[in-house]
Amino acid sequence: KAVVSTQSTGDVRWTKNVGLGIKTPNEAIQGTYIDKKCPFTGDVAIRGRLLRGTVRSMKMKSTLTIRRDYLHYIKKYNRFEKSHKNISAHVAPAFLDLKQGDPVLIGQCRPLSMTVRFNVLKVIATAASDKKKFAKF
């Protein structure tokens, strides 16, 4: 699982394969950052749930907030109501080009801080067109 990659300068950088069909980003392999909470170059194992969401805010240092929308069924009225949850996730320096509104894939890991239990694994590519799209709700 762990891979030692050699850069053009001859330096050796340790990276690992997270598994679950997720590729290690090039920035993690060729970069020079040091982040002990990074799932690709640090000492954090991804286990448990994989969740999708959209980036809500990036005001914290190396942490972002993900918004997950879902429908909650109310049995009495035989209808659904819209609900959402906000989840904090750690952002490795490999993903610093994220913007608000980008869809991301996050994976569960050990508790990294008081509120952070997830790590950003992948930015989900969306088709770049100016047409109106079908929204989830």
Side-chain angles (χ1 to χ4, degrees):
K1 245 182 162 178
V3 178
V4 176
S5 61
T6 307
Q7 297 175 342
S8 60
T9 58
D11 296 339
V12 177
R13 182 168 173 83
W14 182 86
T15 60
K16 70 177 180 183
N17 183 7
V18 173
L20 306 166
I22 296 161
K23 290 182 69 175
T24 305
N26 285 335
E27 182 61 35
I29 296 169
Q30 298 166 355
T32 57
Y33 69 86
I34 297 170
D35 184 12
K36 65 180 183 178
K37 296 178 181 179
C38 173
F40 306 106
T41 61
D43 190 29
V44 175
I46 301 296
R47 80 286 192 284
R49 295 187 171 269
L50 292 177
L51 305 174
R52 290 174 187 249
T54 56
V55 176
R56 174 97 184 246
S57 110
M58 293 190 64
K59 294 179 183 176
M60 295 175 273
K61 182 182 175 189
S62 71
T63 305
L64 55 77
T65 304
I66 304 284
R67 181 183 168 113
R68 298 194 68 230
D69 295 311
Y70 60 93
L71 295 174
H72 176 240
Y73 182 69
I74 305 209
K75 191 174 171 183
K76 178 180 177 181
Y77 298 110
N78 195 22
R79 281 169 174 62
F80 291 92
E81 70 176 356
K82 292 184 202 174
S83 294
H84 78 277
K85 291 269 193 228
N86 290 335
I87 300 171
S88 296
H90 178 76
V91 184
F95 298 114
L96 286 182
D97 57 343
L98 279 171
K99 298 183 298 296
Q100 191 172 348
D102 287 348
V104 293
L105 178 73
I106 57 175
Q108 189 177 5
C109 58
R110 63 177 171 81
L112 301 175
S113 69
M114 190 176 102
T115 58
V116 179
R117 275 105 178 95
F118 288 88
N119 230 314
V120 174
L121 298 176
K122 185 163 85 172
V123 180
I124 300 167
T126 57
S129 64
D130 296 332
K131 290 184 177 181
K132 273 191 165 180
K133 295 185 185 104
F134 175 75
K136 193 171 182 180
F137 300 117

